[in-house]
Amino acid sequence: MSVRVYVPCDSGALSMGAERVAKAIRAEAERRGLVIELVRNGSRGLYWLETLVEVGTADGRVAYGPVKVADVASLFDADFLHGGAHALHLGITDQLPWLKNQERLTFARVGITDPVSLDDYLAHDGYRGLRNALAMTPDAIVQQVTDSGLRGRGGAAFPTGIKWKTVAGCVADQKYIVCNADEGDSGTYSDRMIMEDDPYVLIEGMTIAAIAVGATQGYIYLRSEYPHALVSLNTAIERAQAAGYLGEHILGSAHTFHLEVRRAAGAYVCGEETSLLESLEGKRGLVRFKPPLPAIEGLFGKPTVVNNVISLATVPIVLDKGAEYYRDYGMGRSRGTLPIQLAGNIKQPGLVEKAFGVTLRELLYDYGGGSASGRPIRAVQVGGPLGAYLPESQFDTPLDYEKFSEIWAVLGHGGIVAFDDTVDMAKMARYAFEFCAVESCGKCTPCRIGSTRGVEVMDNIMQGKQVSKNIALVRDLSDTLLNGSLCALGGMTPYPVLSALNHFPEDFSKASAITSETALADPA
Amino acid sequence: MVQGHNELIAEKIEAHRGMAGGLLPLLHAVQDAIGYIPEESYPAIAKGMNLSVAEVHGVVGFYHHFRTHAPGRHILQVCRAESCQAMGCSELEHYVKARLGVDYHGTSADHAVTLEPVYCLGNCALSPAVMFDEQVLGRVDKATIDELLNTLEAA
């Protein structure tokens, strides 16, 4: 029997040369007259070890990494095909502490299977949730999702079941399921991993949602920066359709669900659900006033479920193992697990799926191994560009929606970006305004004008001009943005700005010490 | 507009006529085929999609991804979001700009590369990241950029 060798096709692994490694392994095996079966799996999420190569042995899959093309010949010399010793030998993949201590529910298959192989998906418990759902009434499906405690993983944390119930309760000739795959937050990549590395789980989740609320058409609104996910999703949709899991009479039932991927076009604000719907309708991505809620008047004015990739991809396991199984993980009102993404200046970055309740410190040091630069971690931004910066004194906060609210921070989509002590927090606050100015849709004044004014005021502060007056101005401006913006883009830009100012005030008065003389002389 | 583009765009319009919310897919199809969306094509697109020219103009202008002028032979997108900043992307940005002799949205004199900023490529575990055409590169340093651009110059 030929040995199975796994080389990931995830774009993160590809960015570290996985394609060249795969080719080199194939060529070397051929040169040595060895027969191997090369599987292109997803990434296990241990990105600092990419390209992570695995071989199937009697004891389980054995990992080697990070493998470069130059290592391939020596791996063969060391008989890696039978788990031989080598400097890059890491041991049995599943036994690596980094993986072993995770609670992978949504990510159960990621990195293990060939992403677009439907057979692989079925062999690893795929489509069990849908089969259960087909035997249930739509109300019972919605109830299961509600009972699981699942909340929107895009960042808003709204209970998924309640949203579904609203759409299910609407009478309309057409309803839609829309997947928000416009993952634009820096430091986040869990949506990308699901779509590239286990696309069927998203398709299954959307199909279950469609049956639960009575929708027949679905769209995945995918950011244009994810070309690999587009290929993976389209291949999986085509295969699911051919096998009767999509289209008319799903698995012989009376249900119909058509699914299509629509490419976004590089506007961050289109991650906001109403702006996303405008974009799907072929318009400028301007934010809509709410109400009406998209659940009642959404895409093309019809009742629409808009859920994030992770929320939808979690539905299959809830329907497979039951609401209680999922709800038993987590703490407080944050039930289940969160796929956390470690990013930025971190030694061991990657995907950690854990039950809510894990602390930032555990994630940054036990999993992350501290900073990549070896310097102290000074600040972390949690929840994307609109999330707060947290100082070391807050690293013991458990990941929980409510605990984060208490310290005026957000979990968002679960991205954690670490910065070492070389970071200039005034610069980061300025960047937050700059980002808001670049991405503002322009509909509401606080966001459109306030973001640009914010950049100007920060420039003055950084040049040491009338620092205390200008800091008061930043606070006042932030108050306007917080309370007067139409959506979270303007409404949450103050989170990074004010948290930087509150926790790292010394960075805002650096320039004033140097240029206080010129500042005094400044008549303005 | 380059000769032949008219027919190509007309084909794309025909393929998207009547598609619900079809304007974005159409604009993508046009840009995928010829690299940009010529302003001269707005009247035809507007007519085909039953919109006003102003609406087409507004949509093209709203989205960062769409461009109205022909780019270089390759597109280099440098991520400047927080995760990449934490790993020193601003130094990388300066280097790439100096190396190509252009600022963002500019095209190098030899027309080989158009430089664009991007806010997250989803490769934040391997920052700093860039995207060269559709190929994502991780843990990018000056040497990676040199290797990439030297290969282009040699070609």
Side-chain angles (χ1 to χ4, degrees):
Chain A
M1 205 180 76
S2 64
V3 177
R4 261 193 200 170
V5 181
Y6 300 83
V7 182
C9 61
D10 170 277
S11 65
L14 294 177
S15 84
M16 296 307 286
E19 194 60 43
R20 292 195 300 276
V21 169
K23 274 189 190 142
I25 289 175
R26 207 188 293 264
E28 190 66 24
E30 213 164 284
R31 201 177 66 80
R32 297 183 187 226
L34 299 168
V35 183
I36 60 163
E37 186 193 342
L38 190 66
V39 178
R40 302 306 300 272
N41 57 326
S43 172
R44 293 277 198 157
L46 298 81
Y47 279 107
W48 78 101
L49 294 173
E50 293 293 358
T51 301
L52 184 86
V53 175
E54 293 175 90
V55 290
T57 73
D59 302 325
R61 279 155 71 160
V62 175
Y64 294 84
V67 176
K68 304 242 173 287
V69 171
D71 302 316
V72 170
S74 71
L75 281 169
F76 276 90
D77 289 342
D79 195 23
F80 86 119
L81 291 180
H82 297 96
H86 186 278
L88 301 178
H89 179 274
L90 299 166
I92 305 280
T93 319
D94 290 332
Q95 297 301 318
L96 297 174
W98 208 85
L99 267 180
K100 201 178 143 190
N101 299 326
Q102 295 195 28
E103 284 130 349
R104 288 201 168 185
L105 306 185
T106 309
F107 275 68
R109 270 171 302 268
V110 170
I112 295 170
T113 54
D114 169 350
V116 290
S117 163
L118 185 54
D119 290 340
D120 238 7
Y121 185 66
L122 294 171
H124 288 82
D125 299 342
Y127 276 122
R128 287 168 51 135
L130 177 66
R131 286 187 187 278
N132 288 344
L134 284 170
M136 294 160 70
T137 64
D139 285 351
I141 301 172
V142 173
Q143 196 58 49
Q144 280 281 306
V145 174
T146 307
D147 291 345
S148 75
L150 179 64
R151 293 163 72 180
R153 297 285 187 254
F158 188 82
T160 306
I162 307 277
K163 201 182 259 188
W164 288 20
K165 197 175 178 181
T166 309
V167 177
C170 292
V171 179
D173 55 348
Q174 176 73 60
K175 296 178 189 178
Y176 296 103
I177 306 294
V178 170
C179 172
N180 183 346
D182 198 31
E183 182 178 57
D185 290 355
S186 172
T188 66
Y189 45 85
S190 60
D191 292 354
R192 176 186 64 71
M193 287 183 76
I194 285 290
M195 294 186 286
E196 286 181 359
D197 301 347
D198 195 17
Y200 291 109
V201 79
L202 174 59
I203 297 169
E204 182 181 352
M206 290 184 76
T207 311
I208 294 169
I211 293 168
V213 306
T216 53
Q217 176 68 48
Y219 293 102
I220 299 172
Y221 184 81
L222 175 69
R223 66 196 302 251
S224 54
E225 293 85 348
Y226 284 178
H228 293 90
L230 178 69
V231 175
S232 187
L233 284 170
N234 277 334
T235 309
I237 288 172
E238 200 176 295
R239 292 183 183 181
Q241 183 127 15
Y245 290 96
L246 278 176
E248 279 165 32
H249 303 292
I250 290 167
L251 293 182
S253 72
H255 297 286
T256 296
F257 185 54
H258 299 286
L259 183 55
E260 197 184 312
V261 182
R262 286 282 174 96
R263 283 158 76 193
Y268 177 77
V269 74
C270 290
E272 193 282 334
E273 60 177 1
T274 64
S275 162
L276 186 157
L277 294 173
E278 288 287 301
S279 184
L280 265 181
E281 291 182 7
K283 304 174 191 161
R284 292 160 68 93
L286 294 184
V287 173
R288 292 179 187 170
F289 287 100
K290 285 196 274 195
L293 293 172
I296 294 161
E297 275 181 49
L299 187 62
F300 303 114
K302 302 293 180 186
T304 304
V305 168
V306 186
N307 279 154
N308 167 257
V309 173
I310 300 297
S311 314
L312 288 163
T314 301
V315 167
I317 195 160
V318 169
L319 269 291
D320 176 13
K321 303 211 167 167
E324 254 175 54
Y325 174 85
Y326 190 76
R327 195 182 52 204
D328 283 349
Y329 291 90
M331 69 175 279
R333 286 177 50 222
S334 304
R335 307 313 312 174
T337 59
L338 182 68
I340 298 140
Q341 303 119 86
L342 296 178
N345 197 330
I346 199 95
K347 195 172 162 200
Q348 300 179 162
L351 191 286
V352 181
E353 182 174 353
K354 284 289 282 181
F356 286 95
V358 61
T359 68
L360 271 177
R361 197 178 298 279
E362 287 171 78
L363 291 163
L364 292 169
Y365 296 100
D366 297 352
Y367 285 94
S371 73
S373 60
R375 305 178 67 97
I377 297 178
R378 182 163 178 241
V380 296
Q381 187 179 30
V382 184
L386 307 176
Y389 285 100
L390 308 185
E392 212 261 338
S393 61
Q394 294 184 327
F395 288 180
D396 291 312
T397 313
L399 268 70
D400 167 273
Y401 294 118
E402 281 66 41
K403 293 283 174 208
F404 264 62
S405 293
E406 283 170 23
I407 59 164
W408 208 66
V410 291
L411 274 185
H413 187 46
I416 297 177
V417 179
F419 294 81
D420 72 11
D421 62 352
T422 60
V423 68
D424 177 348
M425 295 308 295
K427 217 169 126 189
M428 300 318 294
R430 183 194 185 278
Y431 174 80
F433 278 128
E434 186 191 355
F435 181 74
C436 182
V438 172
E439 299 295 345
S440 175
C441 84
K443 184 154 176 169
C444 71
T445 317
C447 175
R448 183 181 69 245
I449 309 278
S451 52
T452 299
R453 292 291 94 88
V455 173
E456 293 163 0
V457 179
M458 279 310 304
D459 279 340
N460 285 336
I461 291 172
M462 289 163 78
Q463 288 162 20
K465 289 182 191 163
Q466 302 197 319
V467 172
S468 56
K469 272 191 179 175
N470 276 315
I471 284 179
L473 209 52
V474 166
R475 289 192 183 278
D476 188 59
L477 183 61
S478 294
D479 191 55
T480 306
L481 279 164
L482 263 173
N483 296 301
S485 303
L486 197 52
C487 84
L489 178 53
M492 286 178 66
T493 293
Y495 275 74
V497 173
L498 293 181
S499 59
L501 183 56
N502 292 337
H503 299 307
F504 308 93
E506 60 277 20
D507 286 16
F508 290 72
S509 50
K510 261 187 201 161
S512 64
I514 308 160
T515 57
S516 55
E517 263 175 61
T518 48
L520 283 172
D522 184 356
Chain B
M1 218 161 30
V2 182
Q3 211 155 20
H5 282 181
N6 270 334
E7 291 75 18
L8 219 150
I9 292 169
E11 251 173 56
K12 302 290 176 198
I13 293 170
E14 212 41 53
H16 291 83
R17 204 190 285 272
M19 179 186 204
L23 183 57
L24 259 76
L26 169 60
L27 296 175
H28 272 297
V30 171
Q31 184 159 306
D32 286 351
I34 63 175
Y36 68 111
I37 301 154
E39 287 188 40
E40 297 89 324
S41 68
Y42 292 179
I45 290 174
K47 189 157 182 266
M49 302 305 282
N50 197 22
L51 298 166
S52 72
V53 173
E55 281 171 306
V56 176
H57 187 89
V59 169
V60 174
F62 184 84
Y63 296 96
H64 301 305
H65 179 80
F66 296 131
R67 61 175 69 86
T68 52
H69 293 91
R73 290 189 294 281
H74 301 279
I75 292 163
L76 179 62
Q77 294 177 287
V78 179
C79 179
R80 54 185 310 259
E82 289 88 341
S83 178
C84 289
Q85 289 184 41
M87 291 301 278
C89 77
S90 49
E91 209 180 316
L92 194 69
E93 289 181 79
H94 291 307
Y95 185 72
V96 176
K97 285 181 187 175
R99 189 58 225 260
L100 292 172
V102 294
D103 202 345
Y104 281 129
H105 313 297
T107 300
S108 60
D110 60 358
H111 217 64
V113 180
T114 296
L115 183 66
E116 296 284 356
V118 67
Y119 297 88
C120 199
L121 294 165
N123 200 30
C124 321
L126 295 162
S127 293
V130 306
M131 185 141 84
F132 184 69
D133 294 332
E134 293 208 336
Q135 185 191 359
V136 184
L137 301 172
R139 294 214 169 136
V140 176
D141 54 17
K142 289 174 185 172
T144 324
I145 298 292
D146 283 339
E147 197 190 320
L148 193 69
L149 297 181
N150 289 342
T151 320
L152 283 188
E153 281 157 16

